[in-house]
Amino acid sequence: MITLQSSDKDVFEIEQSILIQSGTIKNMVEDDFTFIPLPSVDTETLIKIIEYMKKHADKTDSKEKNIKEFDKDFMKKTLNELFALVFAANYLHISSLLELLYPSIADRIKDKITEAIRQIFSIRCDFTPEEERRIIMDNKWAHEGTEIEGTLD
Amino acid sequence: MKGRLSHPSTPIPNDFVRKTGKKRGGYNCGRCGLPKKGHVCDFTKDSINEVPTPTSGDAKSFVSPSMSSVIRPQPPPPPPPRQAVPQLRRALSFDDIGVTDESPGSDDDDDEREELLDLESELDISGSGKLPANCLWEVLKRLPPSSLLSSAKVCKGWRDVSRRIWRSAEELRLGVPVNAQIGLVGSVLKKCPGLVKLSLRMKSDVDATMLACIAFSCPNLDSLEILTSDTSVNRITGDELGRFVAEKRCLTNLKMEGCSNLGGFTLSSTSLSALCLSDLFCHSKMVFNCPNLKEISLEFSRQENDNTDLTAMVDGLGKSCPRLQNIHVASVRLTHAVVLALTAANLRGLRMLSLVLGSEITDASVAAISSSYSWLELLDLSGSSITDSGIGMICNVFPETLSNLLLALCPNITSSGIQFAAAQLPNLELMDCGMSICNPDLDSPASQKNDNVELQRTPSSKLHLIYQKLIIKHSRLKKLSLWGCSSLDSLYLNCPELNDLNLNSCINLNPERLLLQCPNLESVHASGCEDTLVETLKNQVSDDFTAEDYFPCKRLPDGSKRIRVPLLYSPQPFDDAKRKRRISKQRSAVLVY
């Protein structure tokens, strides 16, 4: 049993066999660590990560359908939750979860207009009006006949 | 200081940077990724002195980077885990539907990585702290191209990531809308000079200016597809195509639809290895000077009055393309003479032969083929007039190698021939006998209502053709297609490896005379069948069974193929909300527009 500690100092005891899906944890375990602090992962996110790993630990054929359903539902979270999961999964090296998260996030942002994306990511526009115009001109041809305006979600 | 780790603000081993998305010289603790300000690090030296190895999760899509030097001044650690480094090669699809596909990275330059690290600090400044930089790359990489273009407008950092993704693109699928001008394609192609595979689905007309644009913008192109649609006409002429092929020295794969305007042509290329032309019509000469051509697929339009000399073409093919392994010709004007020309060519490497729609292909043709090419793995003579004796010949010659036998729409074969084939060909994995055991007169929708009346009128000599039974016991058969076999009355299958069974429109198959002992059966197609039959099918198969609507469709000439025919029966939706749907092993979304 391995103990994980979130940034909020909550501890979780999980079987080693489940946690080795995380490359980071796997290496620490190989170095005989049993207590692993994760100061960059908060409790809420850690709970979700553990839930994911538990579901994916047992990969027999008959469970494949269940796992797919689970994955689909698992992605039904707010964008901010997904971002937190990406940070955590990236740090913990859980590639299967990342492979699930990337297309989900891409899908969520693909139809959004620029301003909406800036709001989601809290990005300040750093283009001068001239630069902005140039970008639109560069891509002008490509936008012909293609609907790019999305809705603000 | 502490082992390999020095002050957190100096560069840190590669792997750790990627794990935490740390920005070089940034504000976060190098060991745990939290902001440095007022922070006391809990980590000890021991916890991070080992470089994590890549997890096996996505092993298939990663190739170990072949780095010879390391950016960092630190003692070089082993190459960082591949999954933490973005796949720098990708495929883009530009389409109304926006299907994306990725191609695995083949090599990884130090330069690219260094650019990416610069990127991290830029992004930090622009405040997209919601995602680590490499993850942002991964997300943007999966956007459909139109969104990728829009993402460039967000901020400078995103513009640069977007630009880099375009530049690293190797594969592009573009849907060119109806009123598009050449500038559209040109401007898109300009963004991805490293393009290796290009697929254009044209909704507007295409002519040689497109070829010129492609030739100019894509120096490394090795695979080109030009697909047409109902709204577009392909105006490329034979000369223009010939010029393009001759000049593009690295082109290995070419596929083009709508080739009716090609006229006479000569294609000369030492690099071309796979060629697929469809909608061919009236070509005064078709010369293929492609010594390295391995696969060729020529589909002729079914219009009448096609005056192409197929015999001369095949003759030439045999002489100038000695390395052919895979031939597919679909034309209603295939004759025995064409087959003879082919057999005279003595193509030693021929393994897959498909001559379809030629109703003038007879058992004599089979004799010729089997005497010259006894190592065939795939033989497709759908639409021909061969009989059960032709099948007998096939079984005599090809038992060791034949794994795919397709005899759809062969009206002169019967279930005994099929049974014989199944019994005599131990390596058979795919058999397609669609619409071969049927009597079209009897099965037209109008006569179905008058079934009894019709049967009474049918001479008894033909009765045996109506109620045909099929007993197949085969240890290797994986796919069996009996679509449209409306004269099939009973079916017994004992095939432990069978995955896919197509019984679409087997309207006369009697549920009481159906026995399936195929434990590995994954999907059964039963659209157009009676409900009782469907019920029986459900009961006979294992828990993992699903069935779905399915229509016979054409596949590419590299394996299993079926003829696309006008559907005789309207589909009856096979919907049962309780039944679980599982996607059967179809090709991936790559080919679906």
Side-chain angles (χ1 to χ4, degrees), chain B residues 139-257:
Chain B
V139 169
L140 291 187
K141 204 172 83 167
R142 285 162 173 81
L143 284 176
S146 45
S147 308
L148 188 57
L149 288 172
S150 312
S151 73
K153 293 192 280 186
V154 169
C155 66
K156 286 185 184 164
W158 279 47
R159 178 193 60 187
D160 291 341
V161 177
S162 167
R163 201 179 280 163
R164 265 178 219 132
I165 292 178
W166 277 105
R167 264 196 270 132
S168 70
E170 281 194 342
E171 203 178 306
L172 174 66
R173 230 161 282 144
L174 202 66
V176 182
V178 176
N179 293 319
Q181 298 176 34
I182 194 69
L184 164 77
V185 178
S187 77
V188 175
L189 291 182
K190 199 172 62 172
K191 291 172 135 13
C192 30
L195 212 56
V196 164
K197 284 169 86 133
L198 175 63
S199 168
L200 296 172
R201 177 162 282 278
M202 307 296 305
K203 296 212 172 78
S204 56
D205 293 354
V206 60
D207 60 22
T209 48
M210 179 66 76
L211 286 183
C213 177
I214 295 170
F216 176 72
S217 319
C218 310
N220 299 326
L221 199 67
D222 76 25
S223 170
L224 174 62
E225 254 184 30
I226 297 180
L227 309 172
T228 53
S229 63
D230 292 338
T231 53
S232 62
V233 174
N234 184 343
R235 299 185 196 283
I236 300 176
T237 67
D239 286 341
E240 289 158 349
L241 184 65
R243 234 188 332 260
F244 177 78
V245 167
E247 283 164 16
K248 267 260 160 256
R249 299 284 168 82
C250 43
L251 195 68
T252 57
N253 285 47
L254 176 62
K255 174 171 170 161
M256 203 156 83
E257 291 182 351

Side-chain angles (χ1 to χ4, degrees), chain B residues 365-541:
Chain B
S365 320
V366 176
I369 294 171
S370 40
S371 61
S372 309
Y373 298 119
S374 41
W375 297 98
L376 288 182
E377 289 166 13
L378 179 148
L379 181 59
D380 185 349
L381 294 172
S382 301
S384 64
S385 306
I386 74 170
T387 67
D388 289 350
S389 14
I391 298 187
M393 274 188 264
I394 292 173
C395 296
N396 267 343
V397 180
F398 300 117
E400 275 148 54
T401 53
L402 200 65
S403 55
N404 296 49
L405 180 60
L406 294 100
L407 297 169
L409 287 160
C410 294
N412 298 334
I413 64 175
T414 67
S415 55
S416 356
I418 297 173
Q419 277 180 185
F420 187 72
Q424 298 289 322
L425 298 170
N427 291 321
L428 204 59
E429 288 179 14
L430 180 145
M431 186 144 75
D432 184 352
C433 307
M435 297 271 317
S436 291
I437 316 177
C438 67
N439 189 339
D441 301 325
L442 215 55
D443 298 324
S444 64
S447 71
Q448 269 176 33
K449 294 182 193 141
N450 305 323
D451 241 346
N452 294 332
V453 178
E454 286 289 334
L455 283 175
Q456 282 166 25
R457 291 210 200 114
T458 312
S460 51
S461 60
K462 279 205 172 176
L463 270 175
H464 78 280
L465 290 174
I466 301 170
Y467 294 117
Q468 297 208 35
K469 71 177 194 305
L470 205 53
I471 300 175
I472 295 181
K473 193 169 170 215
H474 199 284
S475 57
R476 292 231 181 112
L477 197 63
K478 293 208 174 106
K479 277 188 153 191
L480 177 62
S481 172
L482 298 166
W483 61 270
C485 285
S486 47
S487 298
L488 197 61
D489 164 73
S490 65
L491 179 64
Y492 170 57
L493 292 180
N494 181 341
C495 305
E497 293 288 317
L498 197 68
N499 283 339
D500 195 289
L501 175 63
N502 189 336
L503 296 172
N504 285 341
S505 304
C506 285
I507 48 176
N508 289 320
L509 190 54
N510 190 333
E512 282 161 40
R513 300 209 194 104
L514 172 71
L515 182 58
L516 300 179
Q517 289 178 334
C518 312
N520 273 327
L521 203 53
E522 285 177 5
S523 47
V524 177
H525 311 280
S527 96
C529 291
E530 304 273 319
D531 291 337
T532 46
L533 180 66
V534 169
E535 282 302 314
T536 320
L537 282 169
K538 261 170 65 177
N539 296 336
Q540 292 214 13
V541 193

Side-chain angles (χ1 to χ4, degrees), chain B residues 6 45 48 90 102 166 225 287 317 399 462 527 569 585:
Chain B
S6 48
K45 136 187 135 181
I48 1 171
R90 69 155 301 197
E102 288 173 46
W166 277 105
E225 254 184 30
V287 177
L317 203 62
K462 279 205 172 176
S527 96
Y569 307 103
K585 290 194 177 122

Side-chain angles (χ1 to χ4, degrees), chain A residues 121-151:
Chain A
F121 286 88
S122 313
I123 296 175
R124 190 179 40 87
C125 172
D126 53 357
F127 286 125
T128 65
E130 174 59 44
E131 285 173 328
E132 217 166 340
R133 235 177 294 132
R134 248 195 64 206
I135 293 190
I136 295 177
M137 276 309 293
D138 276 347
N139 299 331
K140 173 176 168 262
W141 286 110
H143 295 332
E144 269 184 16
T146 316
E147 251 268 320
I148 54 153
E149 296 300 297
T151 52

Side-chain angles (χ1 to χ4, degrees), chain B residues 30-43:
Chain B
R31 275 167 286 170
C32 59
L34 289 183
K36 223 166 55 176
K37 191 166 182 172
H39 158 75
V40 174
C41 199
D42 288 335
F43 272 34

Side-chain angles (χ1 to χ4, degrees), chain B residues 70-141:
Chain B
V70 182
I71 306 166
R72 305 293 187 185
Q74 299 285 334
R82 191 69 172 90
Q83 71 270 21
V85 176
Q87 285 190 45
L88 296 173
R89 301 280 175 251
R90 69 155 301 197
L92 301 171
S93 165
F94 196 159
D95 207 277
D96 294 334
I97 307 168
V99 174
T100 58
D101 188 35
E102 288 173 46
S103 52
S106 50
D107 57 84
D108 203 27
D109 295 343
D110 287 352
D111 292 337
E112 291 273 16
R113 200 170 295 144
E114 195 150 336
E115 281 179 12
L116 184 67
L117 296 171
D118 287 337
L119 191 60
E120 289 173 14
S121 37
E122 278 176 49
L123 287 177
D124 189 42
I125 293 167
S126 58
S128 56
K130 296 231 178 166
L131 275 183
N134 61 319
C135 299
L136 178 67
W137 173 285
E138 294 286 340
V139 169
L140 291 187
K141 204 172 83 167

